[in-house]
Amino acid sequence: TTRIEHVLLINGGLFADGHSHPFMTTPLLNTPFGAMGAAMAQHSNIVFDSMLKPLYGKDYRRSKLTTVELRETEKAIRRHKGARFLSQAAGFVDEHKHNSARWNLQHIYEDYMMHHGITVHIVGSTEDPFEYKQFDLAKKRLGSYYPNVKMERIPGGHLATAEQAETLAKMIEALTREGTTTADFSKSAASSWANSS
């Protein structure tokens, strides 16, 4: 039997009232003009680059982001006409608001996770323009459940999964070790929580 013991969430839409997407990103993508841009991105690297680059942190864009990385990401998204779907996918914010009572991490944790011994590890990025409010709301609504709910900010933009892949891998590895239910899931988790509270 498979049993979920830990959940790690990064830069996610945890609460319907926490989305902070700038107009020129998801809201614009969710329009006829955005649909046209998404269709163009299916074939145009220039258009797709303009969509992807803002997802990375400024320092990463300036010093580490390469054309090779962009092309690999674009290739993966374009499979099965995925770039064209981006405009439709942008409707998830409205869908989240429509289902705000059910798609609410506080309710999910209090109604289910805490009763089944599931620990939650929330990671936010320092430069994420899309979901930065989510982390603050999580501290406010779930902070009292520490250490079973842990939170940590890491450097980077919305695509911290690419920028901080090694850091996130270490967090996941820590979750698999024995005793992680009561132990910190990264060396800096406790100090990070204390400094951000």
Side-chain angles (χ1 to χ4, degrees), residues 1 16 34 56 71 81 91 121 127 143 145 147 150 153 161 165-166 197:
T1 303
Y56 295 91
R71 296 297 171 265
K81 299 182 179 179
H121 312 271
E127 297 180 67
Y145 294 111
K150 300 171 185 174
R153 282 197 192 274
T161 46
E166 186 175 341
S197 296

Side-chain angles (χ1 to χ4, degrees), residues 25-125:
T25 59
T26 309
L28 181 62
L29 197 56
N30 192 27
T31 66
F33 182 78
M36 182 174 65
M40 292 172 64
Q42 185 66 36
H43 306 287
S44 169
N45 290 336
I46 294 175
V47 173
F48 215 164
D49 286 356
S50 70
M51 292 180 172
L52 284 180
K53 286 182 179 178
L55 301 179
Y56 295 91
K58 292 179 181 178
D59 290 339
Y60 190 84
R61 282 201 308 268
R62 280 195 298 261
S63 61
K64 295 183 179 179
L65 182 61
T66 65
T67 302
V68 172
E69 181 176 346
L70 282 171
R71 296 297 171 265
E72 287 178 351
T73 303
E74 290 165 355
K75 181 180 179 181
I77 296 173
R78 282 173 173 152
R79 293 189 65 194
H80 307 295
K81 299 182 179 179
R84 287 178 174 270
F85 177 71
L86 290 175
S87 178
Q88 295 171 266
F92 82 92
V93 174
D94 293 334
E95 188 176 5
H96 192 182
K97 291 177 180 178
H98 181 72
N99 294 280
S100 59
R102 290 192 305 119
W103 299 356
N104 180 305
L105 183 60
Q106 181 179 5
H107 296 168
I108 294 170
Y109 180 77
E110 293 176 343
D111 294 346
Y112 182 81
M113 291 179 169
M114 68 181 294
H115 302 295
H116 291 81
I118 300 172
T119 64
V120 180
H121 312 271
I122 300 168
V123 182
S125 297

Side-chain angles (χ1 to χ4, degrees), residues 113 136 164 170:
M113 291 179 169
D136 295 332
Q164 297 288 337
K170 289 179 179 178

